[in-house]
Amino acid sequence: MRLKVSVLALVLACVATPALAQKPKHKYKYPFQNPNLPVNVRVKNLLSLMTVQEKIDALGTNPSVPRLGVVGTGAVEGLHGEALGGPAHWEGRGHHVIPTTQFPQSYGLGQIWDPALLEKAASIEAIEARWAFNKYHAGGLVVRSPNANLARDPLWGRNEETYGEDPYLDGKLVVAYVKGLQGNNPRYWETASLMKHFVGYNNETNRAGSSSNFDERLFHEYYAVPFRMGIEQGHSNAFMTSYNAWNDVPMTVNPVLRKVVMKRWHFNGIICTDAGAMTNMVTHFHYYKTMPQAAAGAIHAGVNQFLDKYKKPVEEALKEHLITVKDIDRNLAGVYRVMIHLGMLDPHSMNPYSMIGINDLNPAKGDPWWWPSHIKVALQATEESIVLLKNQDHVLPLNANKLHSIAVIGRWANTVNLDWYSGTPPFAISPVEGIRKYVGSGVKVTYNSGTNIKAAAALAKKSGVAIVVVGNNPTCNAGWGVCNVPSDGKEAFDRKSMKLPSDPLVKAVYAANPHTIVVVQTSFPYTIDWIQAHIPGILEMANNSEEQGTGLANVLFGKYDPAGRLTQTWERSQKQLPPLMDYDIRDGFTYMYFRHKPLYPFGYGLSYTTFKFSDLRLSSHTLPSNGKITVSVNITNTGKRDGDEVVQMYVKHLDSKVARPIEALKGFKRINIPVGQTRTVSFPLKARALAYWDGHGWYVEHDHVQIRVGASSADIRQKAEISVE
């Protein structure tokens, strides 16, 4: 609404005073200040005016040039809400914590399977980033989000930061988050989305000096897919290189940055190193002997933003003629393209985002993290992310009118666990608080931390139902690089086990009261065979949401019908996994190549209602190599309550000449269907989506392909075949 009012006012002013409208409103001392000139012309002029030292200074995280009046912007973390506080103290030394809306971890956002909702959440984060930057002079407008890495292995410590294990799903969600952060203005971005971490990064153990080894096909068909989609479809113009090497060449200097990302994908923005990555190439990889060589290698590869002590090495690289000023100019051009997109070099009157938080039309609403519209989306994201894993004999939803007492048990039931990249939420409703608020004073809700298993069992025995909340603390409740529980993980620490440490507590509570519900509040999969075999009702949800307890209570008591779907395979045993450092997913990673029966398959999730799939039809049974077809299917709600179904379309290659996945996701749609009604869901399928990388480009081969539509990768309800010509 603010943008529409501003545009209308400008039009009226021009109509009322035509003579004034013909006069230039600004006199520009330098061409780079003129917003009417092409971006490349402005950038070239700015670089021509900067001194060598100013250019070196601009290779850090703040490309300001005070002498020329150029005010740049730094970066801020924002995986699931802007981080200006939180456990890692992202507010910085000497700054006050600024609360911001906090959504579920990225792991949970992925389980929503709804790009539109992720885009909405990201747009809220963008508003709050602008607000904090403009009003409180905090944070930055380059937002380090989303994490486009794929969750290949559930033992990876940073599993929580990803959307899941499938490249197509992750790519769609990455695109949505990028679009939400950057906005829909044709000229300016609300914030700039900086994706992390390019590419093939799935281990914390020795990450500063390890190599992820896999072939070029897997690079193009798997690991790089979400990044490519984020750039080509989302128009992200910033990303961070990963710590690791790919096939023994550190990503900070890997030729793929120029050969593929810039040349094939037409990227021309910010390429940022991870913290200390330039130094690692000397101290850990031993790829270079000296720091000037490492700095020169990064600049030649395309890096234009260092998170390192880079200035002296760059200066020495210039003196040693390892790089030239023209090399720096070529790279810095990408940084200033992003600054121009953010409106940093233009008059405030031209940028619809420049006055957010300063000249807002509704100042009485207060800061946006308190706006009901933002809180509503946080709750919606929480509800939609919750996965119903088991519902034996329809024990869920609970009926509050038939309960006299509830025992809520578990150390994570009385807190909202924030992660390393979280901000500080304006409020945080824990599971026990959400349950108490939902049932009201008519039901006695008692809490026990579960540290004394005997006491927890005694409480459960005298209660109508026991709700046990188990899982992990994303920070491990410990310092950097430390986790004291083998099944915990985070940045700088890979998990050693997938076994749930709370099994003894769950078993004791269930023995005391068979009316037990387990809530797995987690950042990654666990092996929970015993719980699946014995506990009648199981829910799974991610950590971190400010509306954690409200969302959980709404699902537990049936106010919201759960429809979250897993985005990662849950193995029955850790033995089913190949070694962590085996990056060839064909050896058994992800649902695409998993050779065992999982505990819960990719795409899995139950509902309180039921759905029937019928009448699968294709617009054609032949698909030309440059064409597309439409796949349609009817979905009927055959249950007793309204609900969402996540319709998933997979393909299986029947006659391919190269190794292909067992099946691969190529379409999905989350759709709400009222009781008794039928909806038609249609998916476009392009031949390009069936291509493989042949070493030179994408190749569509003559093939027969099975179209598989269902409720998960292991629950296929309808099939059909096509011939690819």
Side-chain angles (χ1 to χ4, degrees), residues 90 124 138 150 262 274 315 335 379 387 395 441 447 541 579 617 626 641:
W90 293 109
I124 285 174
L150 288 158
M262 295 183 189
D274 210 333
E315 291 168 356
V335 173
L379 175 58
V387 182
V395 295
S441 58
Y447 169 72
M541 68 186 306
R617 51 206 183 273
N626 61 348
R641 61 173 66 219

Side-chain angles (χ1 to χ4, degrees), residues 3-4 13 45 67 75 113 126 137 157 161 192 210 215 268 306 321 372 431-432 503 521 545 589 596 632 700 723:
L3 175 59
K4 292 181 180 178
N45 173 251
R67 181 180 63 85
W113 290 66
H137 310 291
E161 298 181 30
S210 65
D215 61 31
N268 60 4
F306 289 93
H321 304 291
V432 68
D503 269 1
Q521 193 171 271
S545 171
F589 283 110
H596 310 277
S632 301
V700 179
S723 176

Side-chain angles (χ1 to χ4, degrees), residues 283-360:
T283 59
H284 289 70
F285 283 105
H286 306 293
Y287 197 78
Y288 295 104
K289 292 182 178 180
T290 69
M291 290 297 291
Q293 290 174 343
I299 288 173
H300 284 305
V303 168
N304 52 24
Q305 193 172 90
F306 289 93
L307 272 64
D308 216 322
K309 295 179 180 179
Y310 73 93
K311 290 186 180 181
K312 185 177 179 181
V314 171
E315 291 168 356
E316 292 179 356
L318 281 169
K319 291 178 182 178
E320 296 174 18
H321 304 291
L322 299 174
I323 56 172
T324 66
V325 176
K326 286 185 178 180
D327 292 326
I328 296 177
D329 285 354
R330 178 175 61 165
N331 289 16
L332 277 180
V335 173
Y336 288 111
R337 288 188 195 102
V338 173
M339 294 302 114
I340 288 173
H341 275 300
L342 288 169
M344 300 304 295
L345 276 64
D346 292 358
H348 287 336
S349 59
M350 295 189 65
N351 183 354
Y353 306 120
S354 63
M355 300 304 288
I356 291 176
I358 298 175
N359 191 25
D360 197 82

Side-chain angles (χ1 to χ4, degrees), residues 375-506:
I375 296 171
K376 180 181 178 181
V377 174
L379 175 58
Q380 182 183 358
T382 307
E383 292 173 334
E384 292 197 17
S385 71
I386 297 174
V387 182
L388 177 61
L389 296 178
K390 184 179 179 181
N391 194 19
Q392 181 179 323
D393 299 326
H394 305 289
V395 295
L396 290 172
L398 299 173
N399 188 338
N401 296 325
K402 295 183 178 180
L403 290 172
H404 59 82
S405 60
I406 300 173
V408 183
I409 298 168
R411 60 186 303 196
W412 308 134
N414 199 33
T415 185
V416 173
N417 286 328
L418 305 178
D419 64 40
W420 187 253
Y421 285 96
S422 175
T424 298
F427 63 91
I429 299 176
S430 70
V432 68
E433 290 171 329
I435 292 168
R436 280 180 176 145
K437 183 178 179 180
Y438 189 94
V439 300
S441 58
V443 181
K444 183 180 180 181
V445 178
T446 310
Y447 169 72
N448 184 287
S449 68
T451 52
N452 185 323
I453 293 180
K454 184 178 291 187
L459 175 63
K461 188 173 184 178
K462 63 181 182 181
S463 302
V465 65
I467 300 172
V468 187
V469 180
V470 297
N472 73 298
N473 182 334
T475 67
C476 299
N477 199 28
W480 176 260
V482 177
C483 286
N484 297 314
V485 178
S487 60
D488 280 356
K490 62 180 181 183
E491 182 173 4
F493 195 92
D494 287 320
R495 303 169 71 198
K496 303 298 185 290
S497 169
M498 294 174 63
K499 185 177 180 180
L500 186 70
S502 303
D503 269 1
L505 173 64
V506 175

Side-chain angles (χ1 to χ4, degrees), residues 562-584:
R565 299 293 185 263
L566 297 179
T567 62
Q568 200 167 11
T569 304
W570 283 47
E571 291 81 7
R572 291 181 179 275
S573 167
Q574 192 171 331
K575 294 179 181 179
Q576 294 179 328
L577 285 171
L580 178 66
M581 290 307 297
D582 182 355
Y583 272 79
D584 187 344

Side-chain angles (χ1 to χ4, degrees), residues 95-126:
H95 295 274
H96 295 294
V97 171
I98 296 176
T100 49
T101 301
Q102 295 300 302
F103 299 98
Q105 289 182 296
S106 301
Y107 185 74
L109 291 176
Q111 293 180 167
I112 294 171
W113 290 66
D114 186 352
L117 184 53
L118 261 71
E119 185 172 343
K120 189 180 294 185
S123 69
I124 285 174
E125 181 176 340

Side-chain angles (χ1 to χ4, degrees), residues 622-674:
T622 59
L623 177 58
S625 61
N626 61 348
K628 71 175 181 179
I629 63 170
T630 300
V631 180
S632 301
V633 65
N634 291 344
I635 313 296
T636 304
N637 186 335
T638 55
K640 297 181 179 180
R641 61 173 66 219
D642 300 344
D644 289 1
E645 176 62 289
V646 179
V647 186
Q648 302 164 42
M649 180 181 72
Y650 298 85
V651 299
K652 180 181 180 67
H653 295 268
L654 303 179
D655 295 321
S656 180
K657 296 180 178 61
V658 298
R660 295 295 189 108
I662 297 168
E663 61 181 345
L665 183 72
K666 296 299 178 183
F668 63 91
K669 176 73 174 179
R670 181 169 181 145
I671 184 170
N672 182 266
I673 306 177

